Each structure stands twice: as structure tokens, then as C-alpha cells.
């Protein structure tokens, strides 16, 4: 009797493994539902990005040649003006214009531009450089590591972009570029639906542009005079290049977002498959345990 009592006590002390099949199934079911909802959202966002990308590609195709070579060809065609144009000094004061988006979830479209500027500043130094940021992501990205270089930040630009909006932004860039030696526009150039490259486009500031046109001999302009025509040519020169940069950056943003949402949907599907396998295993283990208990009880009777 004593032996039986000690055996019962020792059996109570030994820890036994407990299986919470119902709790495990409930948690897995909740996770499966959450992942499936995320996959639905990413699929919808991919469809929206695809639709917007098609519209941006049409705008890019129609506007990529608008006024871009009209002024630039003057500097390459007139050899006399090209040879005597004032050169940019080695220690030039530079205004860096960055194009980013106001929204995220578009891959490396915004982070690539920010990294490009960080590397450029790290190599060339911070002296005589200012940043003109267009897009909330770029402004936030530059505010912490280089607040001393961030001069102007523009966000909430209405989309899709139109030429008057870019013209208004170009006016702010022209005013911010007074006194600098060069203006560098950093943006994503669209190559294909799965590829884009970061391009640094160097433009002349207003004073250097006007000084260069003084040596122009090929074009004899009587009306309007040079005091009216040359500033208008600079506005066309600056705005047309910015317009193409904006179109390329918008198409790159939507294509990158489409690819990012496609990858997110694929990853969510793989996670859902893994959770479904775990759920089926837990469910089968619970059913097997219930069958074992039923059979054991029937055998005991």
C-alpha cells in the first residue's frame, strides 16, 4: 500500500507534455487570415500601380522630346559659342535638385536617390553644396544626416504632373540657383518595367547661361531682343529638362511599386502556404490524439 502511494505521488511530480491543439489551430487560423488580407491588399496595389504606370508611360512617350534639344542644340551647333563659353570652376558651388515621391512602398526608387547623394557628398565634401529636395521621402531622408545642406523641400506636388506645375517648380529652382556655378538634377530614368537607373543631369544656372549666349553668332535675333529672348530661352531650357526628369521619375516610381507589390504578394502566398501546412499538421495531430483516446477508452471498458 505504501509502495502504491509513493508511486502515485511520483507520477504526479513528473512533468507531462501538454498539447494545446485547439489554441495552436486558432492562432494559425488568425495568422492565415491576416496574411491573406495582406496579399489581397498588395494584389490590389499592384493593379493600381500597373494602371498608373501605363498612363505615365504614355505621358513620357508624348513629352520626352518636348523642348529638350531645342536649346541644348544651340550650344553644340555654335562652335564659336561652345569654345568661348565660361567653364565651371573646379571648386564649383552646386545646387543639387533631387526628385523623389511623397509615398513609399516603391522599392529602391527613393532610397537609391538618397544613397546616391550621400555617397556623392562623402566623396566630394559638403562645402559649397546645397540640396533642393522635391518629394517628402527625399526631404525626410536628408533632414537627419545632412540638415545643413537641405535648403528647400517641396512636397505634395499634385499628380499626374503637368507642364505648368513643373514650370512653377523651375521658377523656385532658378531663384535658389542664383549665385551657384551649376545645378545637378538627380532622378530615376525609366528603362523598362523592371529596370531604371539613377541619372545626374547637370544644368547651367541662369547667369552662366546668359553669359554663354553672349558669344552666340549663329543665331541673329532681332525680335524679341536679347534682354527678353535670352531669359525666356533659359526658362525653356530649365523647365523642359525638368519636365523630362519628372516624367521619367514618375514612370520609374510606378514600375518599381508594381514590382514591389508583386514580390510582396508572392512572399505572402509562400507564407500562407507554410501556415496552411502547419495548420493541417496541428489539425491532424489533434484528430489522431482524439482517436487514440477514444480507442484507449473503448479498450479499457
Amino acid at each position: 500500500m505504501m509502495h502504491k502511494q509513493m508511486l502515485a505521488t511520483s507520477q504526479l511530480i513528473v512533468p507531462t507534455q501538454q498539447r494545446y491543439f485547439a489554441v495552436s489551430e486558432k492562432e494559425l487560423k488568425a495568422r492565415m487570415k491576416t496574411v491573406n488580407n495582406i496579399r489581397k491588399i498588395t494584389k490590389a496595389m499592384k493593379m493600381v500601380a500597373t494602371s498608373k504606370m501605363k498612363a505615365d508611360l504614355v505621358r513620357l512617350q508624348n513629352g520626352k522630346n518636348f523642348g529638350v534639344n531645342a536649346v541644348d542644340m544651340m550650344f553644340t551647333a555654335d562652335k564659336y559659342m561652345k569654345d568661348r563659353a565660361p567653364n565651371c570652376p573646379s571648386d564649383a558651388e552646386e545646387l543639387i535638385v533631387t526628385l523623389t515621391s511623397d509615398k513609399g512602398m516603391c522599392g529602391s526608387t527613393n532610397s537609391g536617390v538618397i544613397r546616391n547623394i550621400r555617397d556623392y557628398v562623402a566623396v566630394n565634401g559638403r562645402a559649397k553644396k546645397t540640396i533642393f529636395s522635391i518629394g517628402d521621402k527625399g526631404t525626410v531622408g536628408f533632414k537627419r544626416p545632412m540638415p545643413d545642406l537641405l535648403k528647400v523641400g517641396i512636397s505634395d506636388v499634385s499628380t499626374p504632373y503637368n507642364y505648368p506645375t513643373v514650370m512653377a517648380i523651375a521658377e523656385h529652382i532658378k531663384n535658389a540657383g542664383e549665385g551657384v556655378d551649376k545645378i545637378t538634377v538627380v532622378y530615376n530614368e525609366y528603362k523598362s518595367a523592371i529596370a531604371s537607373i539613377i541619372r545626374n543631369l547637370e544644368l547651367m544656372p541662369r547667369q552662366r547661361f546668359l553669359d554663354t549666349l553672349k558669344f552666340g553668332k549663329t543665331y541673329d535675333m532681332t525680335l524679341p531682343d536679347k534682354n527678353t529672348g535670352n531669359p525666356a530661352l533659359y526658362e525653356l531650357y530649365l523647365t523642359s529638362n525638368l519636365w523630362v526628369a519628372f516624367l521619367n521619375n514618375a514612370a520609374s516610381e510606378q514600375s518599381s511599386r508594381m514590382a514591389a507589390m508583386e514580390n510582396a504578394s508572392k512572399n505572402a502566398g509562400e507564407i500562407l502556404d507554410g501556415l496552411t501546412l502547419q495548420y493541417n499538421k496541428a489539425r491532424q495531430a489533434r484528430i489522431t490524439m482524439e482517436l487514440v483516446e477514444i480507442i484507449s477508452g473503448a479498450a479499457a471498458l
Side-chain angles (χ1 to χ4, degrees), residues 143-157:
K143 187 179 294 184
R144 187 170 184 179
M146 47 189 76
D148 54 324
L149 302 184
L150 186 61
K151 185 176 183 179
V152 180
I154 296 178
S155 59
D156 295 331
V157 181

Side-chain angles (χ1 to χ4, degrees), residues 99-114:
L99 298 186
T100 57
S101 64
D102 294 323
K103 299 179 181 179
M105 292 187 292
C106 52
S108 61
T109 301
N110 299 320
S111 59
V113 173
I114 297 173

Side-chain angles (χ1 to χ4, degrees), residues 4 16 18 35 44 61 64 81 96 106 112-113 117 122 127 155 167 182 185 232 254 256 262 268 284:
K4 292 183 179 180
T16 58
Q18 297 181 356
V35 173
Q61 186 65 29
K64 65 180 181 180
M81 180 171 59
I96 304 174
C106 52
V113 173
I117 299 302
S155 59
M167 188 183 298
K182 65 177 179 179
V185 182
Q254 296 302 334
S256 181
E262 182 178 2
Q284 187 63 41

Side-chain angles (χ1 to χ4, degrees), residues 69-87:
N69 297 321
V71 183
D72 297 77
M73 284 298 294
M74 294 174 56
F75 300 102
T76 57
D78 194 338
K79 191 176 183 303
Y80 180 85
M81 180 171 59
K82 183 179 179 180
D83 294 339
R84 287 159 179 78
N87 295 323

Side-chain angles (χ1 to χ4, degrees), residues 16-22 25 280-298:
T16 58
Q17 184 180 6
Q18 297 181 356
R19 299 176 180 271
Y20 298 97
F21 294 109
E25 289 179 42
N280 291 335
K281 287 181 179 179
R283 181 172 174 270
Q284 187 63 41
R286 177 178 56 81
I287 295 174
T288 303
M289 183 61 69
E290 290 177 355
L291 290 175
V292 169
E293 291 175 354
I294 293 173
I295 294 172
S296 299

Side-chain angles (χ1 to χ4, degrees), residues 47-284:
M47 295 175 62
V48 173
T50 304
S51 177
K52 290 184 177 180
M53 186 190 71
K54 291 180 180 179
D56 286 332
L57 287 179
V58 172
R59 282 188 287 271
L60 176 60
Q61 186 65 29
N62 294 335
K64 65 180 181 180
N65 296 321
F66 180 75
V68 174
N69 297 321
V71 183
D72 297 77
M73 284 298 294
M74 294 174 56
F75 300 102
T76 57
D78 194 338
K79 191 176 183 303
Y80 180 85
M81 180 171 59
K82 183 179 179 180
D83 294 339
R84 287 159 179 78
N87 295 323
C88 184
S90 57
D91 57 341
E93 187 172 350
E94 184 178 7
L95 176 66
I96 304 174
V97 181
T98 60
L99 298 186
T100 57
S101 64
D102 294 323
K103 299 179 181 179
M105 292 187 292
C106 52
S108 61
T109 301
N110 299 320
S111 59
V113 173
I114 297 173
R115 283 196 303 267
N116 181 278
I117 299 302
R118 288 177 180 173
D119 296 341
Y120 179 77
V121 171
V123 172
N124 298 278
R126 308 167 73 97
K128 296 185 177 181
K129 290 179 178 59
T130 54
I131 297 176
F132 190 108
S133 175
I134 302 174
D136 185 65
K137 293 299 179 182
T139 303
V140 173
F142 294 126
K143 187 179 294 184
R144 187 170 184 179
M146 47 189 76
D148 54 324
L149 302 184
L150 186 61
K151 185 176 183 179
V152 180
I154 296 178
S155 59
D156 295 331
V157 181
S158 60
T159 54
Y161 302 120
N162 53 51
Y163 197 81
T165 301
V166 178
M167 188 183 298
I169 296 175
E171 185 68 21
H172 290 284
I173 295 175
K174 182 186 74 173
N175 296 333
E178 292 293 339
V180 303
D181 298 307
K182 65 177 179 179
I183 299 173
T184 304
V185 182
V186 183
Y187 65 97
N188 290 275
E189 185 176 13
Y190 178 85
K191 288 298 181 182
S192 66
I194 59 174
S196 61
I197 61 172
I198 298 176
R199 185 179 178 190
N200 297 347
L201 176 63
E202 184 176 333
L203 301 175
M204 291 186 289
R206 184 174 182 274
Q207 190 58 47
R208 182 179 160 200
F209 181 89
L210 297 178
D211 293 341
T212 303
L213 282 183
K214 292 178 181 178
F215 299 98
K217 299 296 182 182
T218 304
Y219 303 95
D220 186 13
M221 184 168 52
T222 55
L223 289 176
D225 58 3
K226 62 180 181 179
N227 296 326
T228 305
N230 290 352
L233 283 176
Y234 180 71
E235 292 179 0
L236 175 62
Y237 164 77
L238 181 62
T239 307
S240 59
N241 283 284
L242 281 175
W243 171 241
V244 175
F246 267 89
L247 293 179
N248 274 282
N249 201 74
S252 300
E253 176 192 347
Q254 296 302 334
S255 64
S256 181
R257 180 173 288 114
M258 180 188 69
M261 292 301 103
E262 182 178 2
N263 292 333
S265 300
K266 182 180 178 181
N267 294 337
E270 293 177 356
I271 294 174
L272 186 60
D273 292 339
L275 291 175
T276 303
L277 182 61
Q278 292 181 23
Y279 176 79
N280 291 335
K281 287 181 179 179
R283 181 172 174 270
Q284 187 63 41

